[in-house]
Amino acid sequence: MKCIVCKFGGSSLADGSNIGRVADILYADPARRYAVVSAPGKRFSADVKVTDLLYECYRAACETGSCTAAFAAVRRRFTSIVEELGLENFDIASILDETEREIDARKSADFAASRGEYLNARVIAAKLGWEFVDAKDLVFFDERGAFDEERSYPVIAERLKHIPNAVIPGFYGTDVAGNIKTFSRGGSDISGSIVARAVDADLYENWTDVSGFLAADPRIVEKPEKIEVISFKELRELSYMGANVLHADSIFPVRKGDIPIKIKNTFRPQDAGTLILPSKKYKKQGNLVTGIAGKKDFTVIFIEKSMMNAEVGFARKVLSILEEDGVNFEHMPTGIDTLSLVIESRYLAGGMLDRLLEQIRAAVHPDYLRVLENIALVATVGHGMAASVGTSARLFRALSEAGVNVRMIDQGSSELNIIVGIDNDDYEKCLRAIYREFFGKAVQSMAE
Ligand code: ADP
Ligand code: ASP
Ligand code: MG
């Protein structure tokens, strides 16, 4: 029988009536055998996600020894969900008491944060009449803290082999010491992908609050076009660059298993959604640009030195400084005599920037060293761009007409992506100008 693994995000599970919708979706197709669930998200824009409430509980447990006051908000969320769902015989109070005690005792941020998914999965399993299978027994991390696929996949496959339907919490697993460890924020998308790969699913459905992957962030560009079909490669570029509808790392498990992903809207299940295909199954859609995404708050360090390219080991020396200081870099555009490092500004706080500059001066004696701060990166992504002459010309003309000053350009070797560095303040203007150029619609400014 066909097998679909469904992941439901926090926006789809924020309250009892939403969980009721999710149950209808799952019951509507018997192929939907496994549900991977997030913690309840925001019910309205000023609301707080349960995961954030739980990080507060962790802080309270560390600072005062008891999270009781902070945990009251978590207690209210789950008690009202259980009431709304009419689960009279489900003893949520005891489960919450036990959870509160454990948060106090363990004093682990990951453990506390993971409880949103754990509790929600237990409630949803009770609602559906499906088996609850704890992610702590399925998903494992290795000694470096990376997902351990060799250990996890056989365990998941074996465990789920005889279970026709199960609810599995997303976001966490177990580390080598046996403690609960979470993925980074938004990581339930990765858990869903892992389960889909382990059971060799036919499809990984990712249910959220938008009707698919949109060509630009809907909070910045009004009513952007929906992308019908997108390749894993394009999706990886866009999600990594800030299109956070799907966690950038969630692509890897399903990609290895050639399993397509479908983004669907819990609130409009009748909408077709976006199909994400392995690159070899993907046929170009005729669109030059598939999507645009970006992120703010980068710092660029420009290093210039004559005959840099003739100096063996120049880049290695610079990169080993970053490695020693534990600083990740995002991009490294190079010219004949220049090398730039694009780094998330948060890594450079607390004197790290000055320290790096000092070390670079000492190690490679540049002719010129310059720093640009408050830079945003915007990526324009599409398989069609490489083959089409004049794409960059259109992009840069559109930016110049919109009055956006381009501070840096980086075209990845895949020719799938042109990244521009601009001032943080120009970010929204830049996204809208590129969207207008390639999608040909008047874009109203939503922020202004
Ligand atoms: P979930 O709770 O289901 O995991 P997320 O909040 O993580 O949902 O992701 C969905 C949100 O991502 C949407 O509500 C939307 O505001 C935002 N988003 C940002 N960029 C895009 C994009 N290109 N396409 C669709 N949604 C996007
Ligand atoms: N609940 C976690 C978060 O808020 C994980 C997820 O929703 O995917 O980041
Ligand atoms: Mg998400």
Side-chain angles (χ1 to χ4, degrees):
M1 187 175 84
K2 222 178 130 191
C3 174
I4 301 175
V5 171
C6 300
K7 178 262 172 179
F8 293 89
S11 53
S12 305
L13 301 165
D15 61 22
S17 74
N18 289 353
I19 293 175
R21 257 178 229 284
V22 165
D24 293 341
I25 290 168
L26 288 168
Y27 289 148
D29 185 346
R32 295 186 175 131
R33 292 183 48 200
Y34 305 114
V36 175
V37 298
S38 286
K42 293 183 179 192
R43 292 158 295 181
F44 41 88
S45 65
D47 199 12
V48 183
K49 290 180 173 187
V50 164
T51 307
D52 293 304
L53 295 174
L54 287 160
Y55 281 118
E56 275 309 311
C57 294
Y58 159 71
R59 274 188 284 277
C62 292
E63 281 163 22
T64 68
S66 161
C67 71
T68 300
F71 195 73
V74 177
R75 201 175 270 281
R76 277 196 299 277
R77 289 292 296 267
F78 282 104
T79 308
S80 73
I81 287 175
V82 168
E83 271 169 24
E84 268 183 275
L85 292 173
L87 297 170
E88 285 100 14
N89 298 325
F90 185 72
D91 186 7
I92 187 70
S94 304
I95 301 173
L96 287 165
D97 289 345
E98 170 70 15
T99 304
E100 185 185 323
R101 272 197 300 276
E102 280 194 289
I103 292 174
D104 282 345
R106 296 203 193 197
K107 298 198 175 33
S108 148
D110 282 17
F111 176 80
S114 73
R115 295 304 88 185
E117 273 68 15
Y118 168 82
L119 292 165
N120 218 18
R122 293 207 52 181
V123 171
I124 294 164
K127 164 73 188 166
L128 292 166
W130 289 11
E131 190 162 331
F132 164 79
V133 181
D134 198 338
K136 81 172 169 40
D137 303 322
L138 300 182
V139 175
F140 300 98
F141 295 91
D142 64 20
E143 54 291 332
R144 291 175 302 118
F147 167 61
D148 186 344
E149 54 176 38
E150 276 171 33
R151 185 169 170 210
S152 307
Y153 291 145
V155 172
I156 302 171
E158 183 55 33
R159 182 74 198 274
L160 296 182
K161 199 162 69 184
H162 304 294
I163 304 180
N165 295 105
V167 180
I168 302 156
F171 193 35
Y172 71 92
T174 300
D175 70 10
V176 277
N179 296 315
I180 295 288
K181 177 175 165 54
T182 63
F183 291 105
S184 57
R185 294 300 302 265
S188 298
D189 291 330
I190 310 173
S191 311
S193 178
I194 289 170
V195 174
R197 164 95 167 94
V199 301
D200 197 18
D202 298 281
L203 179 65
Y204 171 32
E205 284 182 347
N206 191 290
W207 291 82
T208 181
D209 64 349
V210 275
S211 289
F213 211 101
L214 306 171
D217 188 334
R219 291 162 297 188
I220 297 172
V221 171
E222 195 175 10
K223 295 207 174 71
E225 270 182 29
K226 193 202 72 177
I227 302 172
E228 301 286 330
V229 185
I230 183 172
S231 74
F232 280 174
K233 275 191 184 154
E234 290 173 321
L235 179 88
R236 165 89 178 142
E237 301 276 355
L238 287 168
S239 52
Y240 185 76
M241 284 300 294
N244 55 2
V245 60
L246 200 67
H247 193 296
D249 294 348
S250 59
I251 292 150
F252 298 118
V254 281
R255 189 171 71 181
K256 276 200 184 160
D258 259 357
I259 301 164
I261 310 175
K262 197 161 219 188
I263 310 274
K264 293 278 288 176
N265 189 345
T266 301
F267 304 94
R268 292 187 55 86
Q270 69 278 19
D271 289 355
T274 295
L275 185 62
I276 305 162
L277 289 176
S279 300
K280 61 183 175 204
K281 291 189 185 161
Y282 171 86
K283 288 195 190 65
K284 278 191 194 136
Q285 300 300 299
N287 238 6
L288 199 56
V289 169
T290 303
I292 308 152
K295 293 198 263 196
K296 283 186 178 176
D297 295 325
F298 288 90
T299 297
V300 185
I301 303 177
F302 281 107
I303 308 169
E304 192 174 326
K305 187 172 184 188
S306 303
M307 307 289 286
M308 170 192 291
N309 58 345
E311 193 175 321
V312 176
F314 188 95
R316 180 186 47 76
K317 283 183 206 156
V318 173
L319 294 183
S320 49
I321 295 171
L322 295 184
E323 193 179 340
E324 275 159 31
D325 290 329
V327 172
N328 286 335
F329 71 96
E330 203 79 6
H331 298 278
M332 190 180 64
T334 53
I336 311 170
D337 294 325
T338 61
L339 184 155
S340 310
L341 298 168
V342 184
I343 300 170
E344 272 186 62
S345 304
R346 66 191 168 102
Y347 290 124
L348 302 173
M352 179 57 88
L353 178 59
D354 290 337
R355 213 155 47 243
L356 277 184
L357 296 177
E358 211 37 61
Q359 288 170 304
I360 292 170
R361 275 193 202 97
V364 297
H365 310 287
D367 299 334
Y368 184 60
L369 195 58
R370 190 160 65 104
V371 175
L372 282 181
E373 291 183 276
N374 302 317
I375 295 292
L377 299 181
V378 173
T380 305
V381 174
H383 283 293
M385 295 195 317
S388 170
V389 182
T391 311
S392 345
R394 278 179 68 185
L395 178 82
F396 292 111
R397 194 182 53 243
L399 292 181
S400 121
E401 280 169 10
V404 175
N405 184 12
V406 177
R407 317 291 303 265
M408 191 204 76
I409 302 166
D410 184 15
Q411 178 163 21
S413 52
S414 61
E415 292 189 68
L416 190 70
N417 200 351
I418 299 175
I419 295 172
V420 292
I422 47 157
D423 290 331
N424 270 345
D425 291 344
D426 282 339
Y427 177 66
E428 285 80 8
K429 205 180 352 171
C430 176
L431 269 187
R432 291 184 192 122
I434 301 175
Y435 185 84
R436 202 180 309 121
E437 176 63 33
F438 291 104
F439 293 86
K441 276 195 202 146
V443 182
Q444 281 180 15
S445 162
M446 295 169 72
E448 289 150 15

